[in-house]
Amino acid sequence: MKFEFRNPTHLVFGAGTLSKLGEVASAHGKKALLVTGSGSVRRNGTLDRALSSLHTAGVETAECSGVEPNPRLSTVERGAAIARSEGCDVIVALGGGSTMDAAKVMAAAVFYEGDLWQMMAGQENRILPTKALPVVTVPTLAATGSEMNGGAVISNEKTTVKSFVSAPCLYPKDAIIDPELTASVPPDQTAFGICDLITHVTESYFNGVDGTPLQDRFAEGVMLTAMEWGPKAIADGSDIEARTQVQWASVVALNGWVQAGTLSPYPVHMIEHTLSAHHDIAHGAGLAIVNPAWMRFAAGTRPSRFAQFAHRIFGITLKTPEDPDAAAEGIDRFEAFLRSTGCPTRLSETGIGDRLLERYASDTVLVAHDSEGRLPGRPPISKSDIVDILRSAL
């Protein structure tokens, strides 16, 4: 196993840490572009508290609000234009994963020359960003882990393609993670976030290279923590202990620790990105549908790993190390867990039918594919495989 690992993001974690926002942001600039989503942070008072902390520290602000749940390229362009015109020298992302993703790309877009979409995966002659304004992330939802990584997912509304970019310059300088900010998140969005963070680790767990036992345990720890504390957070939004444990699981799930050395692709995410690009469904809800369907497709290729999952996560007794019955039961129990949280597990539950399955497959492979035109994974996935996976999830 060989790998390199670096995560430069400074983390400030714990209940009440929003008060440190001004102090942290002022180390990077004097005027912040404050990026927010649909308005919940304004309604619940979080925005006012953030502004107070920034202004007390002498940081002026300009605002870019209205980032969509699946952030659009046009919104990124709008935010970058505001940052340039207002002379902003730091960007603060206050919201969920979409807000943080959009803010990171806005930070790079300020300096990027040419078509912003050219930095996204799947583009010919792709040019990655190399410079960005400093970004401070303040997540209000436990889900994407975007607060402590260098990736972002953006939707091109003109082409209904959703793609991603990952670059060193996109790492936030600081992440202020205050679990109290997630207390007002409704049960369905809390559940979708839990599914999202679990899927981040199941991707590397099932698709990564062999010989990573410590990473396996990291992934299993994240899954078990989310499955233990997630239902408590869903049942009682004011349970700050539950919110804290889920928030930390979300950070760890995608800050690179679990994935170090696994060299893992993300086929489930790639398939879901296409669904949410076409239908604007919540990302976590789409993952709850696609992940169990993909797991059933992939279980025969790597049976010992799926049997291990069944044994270590659900305590299912194995007859052999590759017990196919245990593996199937583990997948069934996982799907049942997702359903128990309120997540959809069938496309029909979100109003998606079978009319565009071929289009979904083509769009998915367009964004991420290997030299043979397949979606990377264990096993690699053809267009017809994607159609079969989605058909099984109808």
Side-chain angles (χ1 to χ4, degrees):
M1 180 170 58
K2 289 184 177 180
F3 65 92
E4 295 184 14
F5 176 79
R6 178 175 182 265
N7 189 317
T9 303
H10 168 237
L11 183 69
V12 181
F13 187 96
T17 52
L18 177 62
S19 62
K20 294 182 176 289
L21 175 58
E23 173 189 343
V24 168
S26 65
H28 302 294
K30 296 182 178 181
K31 188 166 187 178
L33 177 68
L34 186 56
V35 183
T36 61
S38 60
S40 61
V41 294
R42 189 179 300 275
R43 293 189 296 272
N44 63 27
T46 299
L47 177 61
D48 287 341
R49 292 167 58 199
L51 287 170
S52 176
S53 180
L54 289 165
H55 294 162
T56 298
V59 179
E60 297 180 29
T61 55
E63 292 187 39
C64 176
S65 60
V67 175
E68 305 84 4
N70 292 297
R72 298 173 183 172
L73 182 63
S74 59
T75 300
V76 171
E77 293 169 337
R78 174 170 62 88
I82 296 172
R84 283 191 291 263
S85 65
E86 294 286 340
C88 296
D89 47 10
V90 60
I91 293 183
V92 174
L94 179 65
S98 295
T99 298
M100 293 184 285
D101 282 8
K104 286 191 276 189
V105 182
M106 288 175 193
V110 169
F111 303 105
Y112 196 82
E113 296 183 2
D115 181 3
L116 290 183
W117 195 248
Q118 201 61 34
M119 71 171 70
M120 310 303 289
Q123 302 306 297
E124 292 186 13
N125 303 314
R126 185 185 185 195
I127 303 174
L128 289 173
T130 58
K131 184 178 181 181
L133 289 176
V135 174
V136 178
T137 51
V138 188
T140 59
L141 175 68
T144 70
S146 188
E147 57 268 22
M148 200 179 175
N149 65 51
V153 179
I154 303 296
S155 294
N156 188 329
E157 63 269 38
K158 294 179 181 178
T159 61
T160 63
V161 171
K162 188 173 180 179
S163 189
F164 64 93
V165 58
S166 181
C169 69
L170 298 183
Y171 273 92
K173 298 298 184 183
D174 303 273
I176 296 178
I177 301 173
D178 185 342
E180 289 182 347
L181 304 185
T182 72
S184 62
V185 176
D188 61 342
Q189 294 297 325
T190 300
F192 300 158
I194 290 164
C195 178
D196 193 4
L197 77 89
I198 290 175
T199 309
H200 289 150
V201 298
T202 59
E203 293 272 48
S204 60
Y205 190 81
F206 292 120
N207 290 289
V209 300
D210 295 324
T212 58
L214 182 57
Q215 311 314 117
D216 292 352
R217 294 297 190 181
F218 282 169
E220 291 157 2
V222 171
M223 287 185 259
L224 290 168
T225 298
M227 293 173 72
E228 176 184 355
W229 292 95
K232 298 175 184 178
I234 293 169
D236 180 5
S238 64
D239 185 340
I240 299 302
E241 179 63 18
R243 293 284 181 179
T244 298
Q245 300 305 331
V246 172
Q247 189 85 55
W248 182 228
S250 174
V251 175
V252 173
L254 204 60
N255 69 354
W257 294 347
V258 174
Q259 294 78 17
T262 65
L263 305 175
S264 175
Y266 284 73
V268 174
H269 275 72
M270 295 300 97
I271 296 170
E272 194 293 320
H273 286 169
T274 299
L275 293 179
S276 53
H278 279 269
H279 300 282
D280 212 28
I281 61 174
H283 176 55
L287 292 174
I289 296 167
V290 175
N291 202 13
W294 173 86
M295 290 168 72
R296 292 188 176 97
F297 162 81
T301 301
R302 205 179 182 192
S304 61
R305 177 49 55 100
F306 284 87
Q308 175 179 292
F309 169 79
H311 177 64
R312 293 186 181 178
I313 300 301
F314 295 103
I316 297 170
T317 301
L318 304 183
K319 297 176 183 177
T320 68
E322 298 185 349
D323 188 341
D325 293 333
E329 183 181 349
I331 297 169
D332 288 344
R333 288 205 197 178
F334 177 59
E335 183 177 41
F337 166 77
L338 296 176
R339 194 179 302 114
S340 74
T341 67
C343 287
T345 57
R346 291 291 181 270
L347 290 169
S348 56
E349 295 175 60
T350 64
I352 299 175
D354 63 357
R355 186 173 63 87
L356 296 176
L357 297 186
E358 296 282 350
R359 171 68 185 277
Y360 303 149
S362 296
D363 284 0
T364 301
V365 173
L366 177 68
V367 171
H369 58 82
D370 63 16
S371 60
E372 298 182 28
R374 303 168 302 178
L375 184 65
R378 293 187 72 172
I381 307 171
S382 67
K383 290 182 183 180
S384 62
D385 291 332
I386 296 173
V387 171
D388 290 343
I389 290 167
L390 293 174
R391 195 178 302 282
S392 73
L394 288 170

